[in-house]
Amino acid sequence: EGQEHPPQTTSKTRGIPHVLCDAMAPIRMLFHKEATIDAEGNYIAPSSPMPLLSAAADDDDDEGGSMLPPLLSLLGQLAHDSLHNFIKRDALESIGCIIPAAGAELMAPYVDELVPLFHTLTDTSIPNDDDDDVGPKEKKELLPLSKAEQQSRRETHRLAIHCTTILASTVGFEHFSTYADDVMGFIACEIAEDHFDSTSSKDLTSYLRGWTHMVDCMGADRVSPFLDAVMPKLLMLGGLACDVEEFPYDAGDDLPSDTPDEKYIEVPCLGKHPIILKVKVGETQAKLNGLVFLRANLIKLETVLDDHWLSSLASVTLEGLAFKSSPPVRRECASLLRLLGDVVVRRTSSSSSS
């Protein structure tokens, strides 16, 4: 009695962040609704606004009793002030679910508060061990991080980008005009510089998704100056030559181990040695992502896509129809080809009538 118990105290202290995360999970479940892309290539945001966010707690309350201000304030404070990256991530993910659910009318007043917050959380520049511009002393001071911590910071960065661009897409250019060019310029520059680890990089996918949101916000004419930075990367992804291939294999050799980016399938052959097929899982997913983003933006950008871009897109699509190892890739190419046909018909009709 009267004695302190440091182990228990420490355990309780460490448990507080996890309690916060447990408390945020129902928020994401309540508001999260997947956005979709319909057969025509249109980006369909989740239905909004959520009645719960705008419902009055008391009919006589002049402020309407909305739960949105305190909810955003709490989550913003957690995202900004927490020392734990997993809390920052959960708070950002919760905000990212709330924004499209609340809708433009409810979210517009918070643009000037949220964008600076998201901007501070995108600053996750981490020098590499082989960076010649950073000396040993600076490396020790700037990078006391494990690989897992670096990945955690990058995930926070990706979520901040997502929250910024989904906010832009939700409120529209009228309310986001102050930041639109800077955000689009940053995203286009990151995509064009091509410093990603691989074509299946989560960072690359995050930027391309953010670019799609900014297209929704800004419209074709305002986006056209950035096409030369982004379209080559999208076409490169959509045209990846990553189909299934036979892996050289001799009897008695050990079967190669699967990795997150590659899988090996043993196909028995009657009277012969089995055939080993190599499936490039990571590149195949990257190819599919590229095609999805191309289809999502084709109709919105058709007025500013010149014949060069349409011809390149047609070539990528036709090659993808013969892709053997992924039915979703073939389906995406078929949908994209149909949309391309519609664009060409409209363009031809417009030229004939003029």
Side-chain angles (χ1 to χ4, degrees), residues 312-327:
S312 300
L313 185 52
S315 297
V316 165
T317 304
L318 289 171
E319 291 174 1
L321 290 174
F323 197 76
K324 295 188 287 293
S325 64
S326 175

Side-chain angles (χ1 to χ4, degrees), residues 91-157:
L92 284 172
E93 190 175 350
S94 299
I95 293 173
C97 293
I98 289 172
I99 288 171
E105 183 178 353
L106 292 179
M107 290 306 307
Y110 300 97
V111 170
D112 291 332
E113 297 178 28
L114 291 175
V115 173
L117 166 66
F118 299 151
H119 176 71
T120 63
L121 295 171
T122 60
D123 184 16
T124 56
S125 54
I126 303 171
N128 297 319
D129 290 335
D130 56 355
D131 192 342
D132 295 333
D133 296 331
V134 181
K137 182 178 179 181
E138 288 80 3
K139 285 181 182 178
K140 184 176 180 180
E141 293 176 353
L142 294 175
L143 188 56
L145 301 175
S146 66
K147 201 170 188 75
E149 288 171 327
Q150 292 182 45
Q151 292 173 350
S152 178
R153 287 196 175 189
R154 289 192 176 97
E155 178 63 22
T156 301
H157 173 91

Side-chain angles (χ1 to χ4, degrees), residues 16-326:
I16 290 174
H18 296 282
V19 170
L20 288 172
C21 288
D22 290 343
M24 285 187 278
I27 295 175
R28 294 192 297 279
M29 293 177 63
L30 180 63
F31 296 114
H32 178 67
K33 293 184 179 180
E34 289 288 349
T36 57
I37 300 172
D38 67 12
E40 303 300 322
N42 298 313
Y43 180 87
I44 307 299
S47 57
S48 59
M50 288 286 289
L52 182 60
L53 291 175
S54 56
D58 184 349
D59 291 339
D60 297 328
D61 187 355
D62 292 336
E63 296 183 358
S66 172
M67 65 177 285
L68 187 60
L71 189 57
L72 286 178
S73 176
L74 172 62
L75 292 173
Q77 184 177 359
L78 289 172
H80 184 269
D81 297 337
S82 178
L83 300 177
H84 302 275
N85 266 308
F86 64 90
I87 289 185
K88 290 179 181 289
R89 294 197 309 271
D90 276 13
L92 284 172
E93 190 175 350
S94 299
I95 293 173
C97 293
I98 289 172
I99 288 171
E105 183 178 353
L106 292 179
M107 290 306 307
Y110 300 97
V111 170
D112 291 332
E113 297 178 28
L114 291 175
V115 173
L117 166 66
F118 299 151
H119 176 71
T120 63
L121 295 171
T122 60
D123 184 16
T124 56
S125 54
I126 303 171
N128 297 319
D129 290 335
D130 56 355
D131 192 342
D132 295 333
D133 296 331
V134 181
K137 182 178 179 181
E138 288 80 3
K139 285 181 182 178
K140 184 176 180 180
E141 293 176 353
L142 294 175
L143 188 56
L145 301 175
S146 66
K147 201 170 188 75
E149 288 171 327
Q150 292 182 45
Q151 292 173 350
S152 178
R153 287 196 175 189
R154 289 192 176 97
E155 178 63 22
T156 301
H157 173 91
R158 289 192 291 267
L159 284 169
I161 293 293
H162 171 73
C163 287
T164 303
T165 58
I166 197 68
L167 178 63
S169 175
T170 298
V171 302
F173 184 77
E174 178 184 356
H175 300 291
F176 202 81
S177 58
T178 304
Y179 310 99
D181 283 339
D182 288 339
V183 173
M184 176 59 96
F186 170 74
I187 290 175
C189 182
E190 290 293 310
I191 293 172
E193 286 183 356
D194 195 20
H195 53 70
F196 306 102
D197 296 337
S198 66
T199 54
S200 57
S201 165
K202 291 181 179 179
D203 291 332
L204 175 56
T205 303
S206 173
Y207 285 124
L208 290 173
R209 184 179 293 112
W211 184 72
T212 300
H213 291 155
M214 293 308 298
V215 171
D216 289 332
C217 170
M218 299 174 69
D221 291 337
R222 299 187 186 96
V223 168
S224 59
F226 303 97
L227 287 180
D228 288 341
V230 180
M231 284 298 293
K233 176 62 71 174
L234 282 172
L235 291 169
M236 183 277 290
L237 290 176
L240 282 174
C242 54
D243 212 344
V244 63
E245 60 185 38
E246 185 175 345
F247 183 78
Y249 176 78
D250 295 325
D253 290 349
D254 292 332
L255 189 66
S257 299
D258 290 345
T259 68
D261 289 330
E262 295 178 347
K263 288 188 177 181
Y264 298 88
I265 302 174
E266 183 175 352
V267 181
C269 294
L270 186 62
K272 298 181 180 179
H273 298 305
I275 296 175
I276 306 300
L277 297 180
K278 178 181 178 180
V279 181
K280 300 176 183 178
V281 179
E283 289 189 3
T284 299
Q285 184 60 51
K287 182 182 182 74
L288 180 60
N289 289 340
L291 292 168
V292 168
F293 291 129
L294 283 167
R295 180 167 66 90
N297 292 289
L298 174 60
I299 300 302
K300 301 167 196 168
L301 298 176
E302 67 171 293
T303 58
V304 295
L305 289 174
D306 59 26
D307 292 342
H308 164 69
W309 292 126
L310 292 179
S311 176
S312 300
L313 185 52
S315 297
V316 165
T317 304
L318 289 171
E319 291 174 1
L321 290 174
F323 197 76
K324 295 188 287 293
S325 64
S326 175

